[in-house]
Amino acid sequence: MRVMIDICYDGSKFEGFASQPHGRTVADTLAIVLEKIYKQPVSIFGSSRTDSKVSAKTQYIVFDPPFTIEPDNIVRAINAIIDKAIYCKSAQLVPDRYMPRHDVEYKTYKYTITREYRPMYRHLEYFIRHQLNVEAMQTAANYLVGTHDFSSFCSANTDVTDKVRTIFDLSVEQDDNQVVLTISGDGFLYNMVRIIAGTLIVFGLEKENPDLMQEILASKDRAAAYSTAPAHGLMLEYIKLKGSHE
Amino acid sequence: MRVMIDICYDGSKFEGFASQPHGRTVADTLAIVLEKIYKQPVSIFGSSRTDSKVSAKTQYIVFDPPFTIEPDNIVRAINAIIDKAIYCKSAQLVPDRYMPRHDVEYKTYKYTITREYRPMYRHLEYFIRHQLNVEAMQTAANYLVGTHDFSSFCSANTDVTDKVRTIFDLSVEQDDNQVVLTISGDGFLYNMVRIIAGTLIVFGLEKENPDLMQEILASKDRAAAYSTAPAHGLMLEYIKLKGSHE
């Protein structure tokens, strides 16, 4: 029997999603809770990794419970004892061996930049005092939509060799004092969204002509793109599963 | 010379605005920063008190600096060293002895209730799983608009004797999974907005007929109203000064 839960979390309280030997992670926090509920260790598998300080509105996680608890009661049991920075939204039964990581149709991330520093939202947006040219950012962003080798937007710190990904949509929108990048794709390389955000900001500041984005992409060289934008502006907004478990 | 600054803050990090012997407050944190900037203690006077865990988008504070620093440089100096949970938005010179507390035309508070627990916003909204009847809440809320004795909505823990206040506007609006109360008035008694919110929630849950609000108000008895809603749903949204210093 395999159970899939959907959780959201305040990333500012964690050193990322994936389990690691040092620092408090979402996966480790959840594993401890499941061990308390099931009275024995339970292995968990997530649909997506998020970096340290990155929040998520959705994250699918599967595990094989050692005994049956009704899905609604699993949700209640988790929420009753887990840290307030994590919340379990739902639970359902899925086929044995189902792995949400291998069933992602697309993921959507948002990156929020604010011109007005707002202390109550400081963990959710990156503060840049300057007005950004949203039109220039959108012009540059359009070059990235489609299927490309995104080597220029991948942190060197990765084992992944196939760097071809498809971006379905990348919009840059101004909403009051905030500029929000919304990016949907079939998968993202290590730090890809944050490097794209950092590079789009350079165009937003009008330091370069947005058509340069074409060359940056074509170079397949991380050094051609600009710096990685900080983690706290990033939100894993949505994960669309193909639903092949249904 | 008197300077007035406008600050905002993440109340979840503080035991309220006003200075107190125990616990970290916004006023004490700011006073320490001003002492560092001016190399001597500086007395500060705020426009409004906020309870422990209540955030503010605006809070006017005056002080008499021992020597002249340009307003823009005061803003920079404060923001360079103050805790990230507080932000100084502006500074200006005001007449000697000007007290923003005595010059408030109206204040606006928001109280946010959410039906969907969102860990990243948990310090800014009160989670109630049930659907609230917004129409019933608005019907009850309408009885409070105007000039009334608000003794029923004042914590017993107060020295204030005149409990007559004027509410200019009180709206209850649904926005997706959130219900937001917005209340503007010439002044508010101790815990008044939170007791109003807690009472409106009872009507939203359809536990009582909204017309009961009329009797609760008329009774001038705190025991007639319902429980005080938690602090973290409350935000001091806006303070309109009469501008008599201009």
Side-chain angles (χ1 to χ4, degrees):
Chain A
M1 183 174 48
R2 181 155 282 195
V3 169
M4 180 165 75
I5 59 173
D6 180 10
I7 67 166
C8 52
Y9 48 86
D10 169 6
S12 71
K13 301 296 176 202
F14 301 98
E15 299 303 319
F17 175 78
S19 178
Q20 57 172 53
H22 304 293
R24 193 164 164 263
T25 71
V26 175
D28 291 338
T29 304
L30 181 64
I32 292 167
V33 166
L34 291 177
E35 182 167 348
K36 278 188 191 156
I37 293 171
Y38 291 106
K39 317 285 184 212
Q40 57 184 274
V42 178
S43 296
I44 63 174
F45 304 95
S47 55
S48 190
R49 281 160 170 253
T50 50
D51 282 355
S52 180
K53 308 306 168 198
V54 176
S55 292
K57 290 193 180 171
T58 285
Q59 175 78 275
Y60 293 104
I61 292 151
V62 289
F63 58 91
D64 297 331
F67 55 85
T68 304
I69 300 177
E70 279 293 308
D72 282 358
N73 289 334
I74 295 174
V75 173
R76 275 188 211 106
I78 292 172
N79 289 332
I81 56 178
I82 205 161
D83 185 294
K84 297 264 176 261
I86 304 179
Y87 183 68
C88 178
K89 295 192 284 177
S90 67
Q92 60 180 300
L93 295 176
V94 292
D96 291 351
R97 287 182 296 278
Y98 173 72
M99 284 296 237
R101 196 175 66 231
H102 301 143
D103 194 41
V104 173
E105 187 174 320
Y106 65 88
K107 289 184 210 178
T108 302
Y109 282 91
K110 283 199 184 207
Y111 195 94
T112 305
I113 303 155
T114 185
R115 205 150 72 89
E116 177 201 21
Y117 180 80
R118 303 189 298 177
M120 51 291 276
Y121 304 108
R122 71 190 182 285
H123 299 307
L124 298 168
E125 49 191 32
Y126 174 36
F127 174 50
I128 299 181
R129 188 182 302 278
H130 307 278
Q131 172 91 53
L132 296 175
N133 182 335
V134 169
E135 229 170 282
M137 294 171 80
Q138 185 66 64
T139 301
N142 291 343
Y143 290 114
L144 301 181
V145 177
T147 302
H148 305 285
D149 181 320
F150 284 98
S151 295
S152 299
F153 301 95
C154 179
S155 169
N157 195 2
T158 183
D159 298 332
V160 176
T161 49
D162 176 12
K163 293 181 179 164
V164 175
R165 296 290 183 277
T166 301
I167 292 181
F168 300 119
D169 197 62
L170 174 45
S171 70
V172 184
E173 283 166 318
Q174 176 104 35
D175 178 14
D176 201 10
N177 283 315
Q178 282 72 46
V179 170
V180 181
L181 319 180
T182 307
I183 183 165
S184 296
D186 64 350
F188 293 93
L189 301 164
Y190 189 51
N191 281 345
M192 180 168 152
V193 181
R194 291 168 53 193
I195 299 170
I196 289 174
T199 302
L200 288 176
I201 288 166
V202 171
F203 299 118
L205 293 169
E206 299 178 338
K207 289 184 177 171
E208 294 290 351
N209 185 304
D211 294 330
L212 180 66
M213 188 61 118
Q214 220 170 351
E215 289 171 41
I216 294 172
L217 179 65
S219 74
K220 298 177 194 168
D221 177 6
R222 171 66 188 92
Y226 294 92
S227 56
T228 309
H232 64 277
L234 188 62
M235 170 82 76
L236 173 51
E237 188 75 17
Y238 185 69
I239 300 171
K240 173 78 172 101
L241 298 177
K242 289 173 192 154
S244 57
H245 64 285
E246 290 174 56
Chain B
M1 184 173 48
R2 180 157 281 194
V3 168
M4 180 166 75
I5 60 173
D6 180 10
I7 67 166
C8 52
Y9 48 87
D10 170 5
S12 71
K13 301 297 177 202
F14 301 99
E15 301 301 320
F17 175 78
S19 177
Q20 56 173 53
H22 304 293
R24 192 162 164 266
T25 71
V26 175
D28 290 338
T29 304
L30 180 64
I32 291 166
V33 166
L34 291 177
E35 182 167 347
K36 278 188 191 155
I37 293 170
Y38 290 106
K39 316 287 184 211
Q40 58 184 273
V42 177
S43 297
I44 64 174
F45 305 95
S47 55
S48 190
R49 281 160 170 251
T50 50
D51 283 354
S52 179
K53 308 306 170 198
V54 175
S55 291
K57 290 194 178 167
T58 286
Q59 174 80 273
Y60 293 104
I61 292 150
V62 290
F63 58 91
D64 298 330
F67 54 85
T68 303
I69 299 177
E70 280 293 309
D72 282 358
N73 289 335
I74 295 175
V75 173
R76 276 188 212 108
I78 292 172
N79 288 331
I81 54 177
I82 205 160
D83 185 294
K84 297 264 178 257
I86 303 178
Y87 183 65
C88 178
K89 295 191 286 177
S90 66
Q92 60 180 301
L93 295 175
V94 290
D96 290 350
R97 287 183 295 277
Y98 174 72
M99 284 296 236
R101 194 174 69 230
H102 300 144
D103 195 41
V104 173
E105 188 174 320
Y106 65 88
K107 290 183 208 178
T108 301
Y109 282 90
K110 284 199 185 209
Y111 195 94
T112 305
I113 303 155
T114 185
R115 207 149 74 89
E116 177 200 20
Y117 181 80
R118 304 189 297 177
M120 51 289 275
Y121 304 108
R122 70 190 182 285
H123 298 307
L124 297 168
E125 50 193 30
Y126 174 37
F127 175 50
I128 300 181
R129 188 182 303 279
H130 308 279
Q131 171 91 53
L132 295 176
N133 181 336
V134 170
E135 229 171 283
M137 293 171 81
Q138 185 66 66
T139 301
N142 291 343
Y143 289 115
L144 301 181
V145 176
T147 302
H148 304 286
D149 180 320
F150 283 98
S151 296
S152 300
F153 301 94
C154 178
S155 168
N157 196 2
T158 182
D159 298 332
V160 175
T161 49
D162 176 13
K163 293 178 179 166
V164 174
R165 296 290 183 277
T166 300
I167 292 181
F168 299 120
D169 197 62
L170 173 45
S171 70
V172 183
E173 282 166 318
Q174 178 104 34
D175 178 13
D176 204 7
N177 283 315
Q178 282 71 45
V179 169
V180 181
L181 319 181
T182 307
I183 183 166
S184 297
D186 63 352
F188 292 93
L189 301 165
Y190 187 52
N191 281 345
M192 180 168 152
V193 181
R194 289 168 56 195
I195 299 170
I196 289 174
T199 302
L200 288 176
I201 287 166
V202 171
F203 298 117
L205 293 169
E206 300 178 338
K207 289 185 179 171
E208 294 290 350
N209 186 302
D211 294 329
L212 180 66
M213 188 62 118
Q214 219 171 352
E215 288 170 43
I216 295 172
L217 179 65
S219 75
K220 298 176 195 170
D221 176 8
R222 170 68 187 89
Y226 294 92
S227 57
T228 309
H232 65 276
L234 188 62
M235 171 82 78
L236 173 52
E237 189 75 17
Y238 186 68
I239 299 171
K240 173 78 171 99
L241 298 177
K242 288 174 194 153
S244 58
H245 63 285
E246 289 174 54

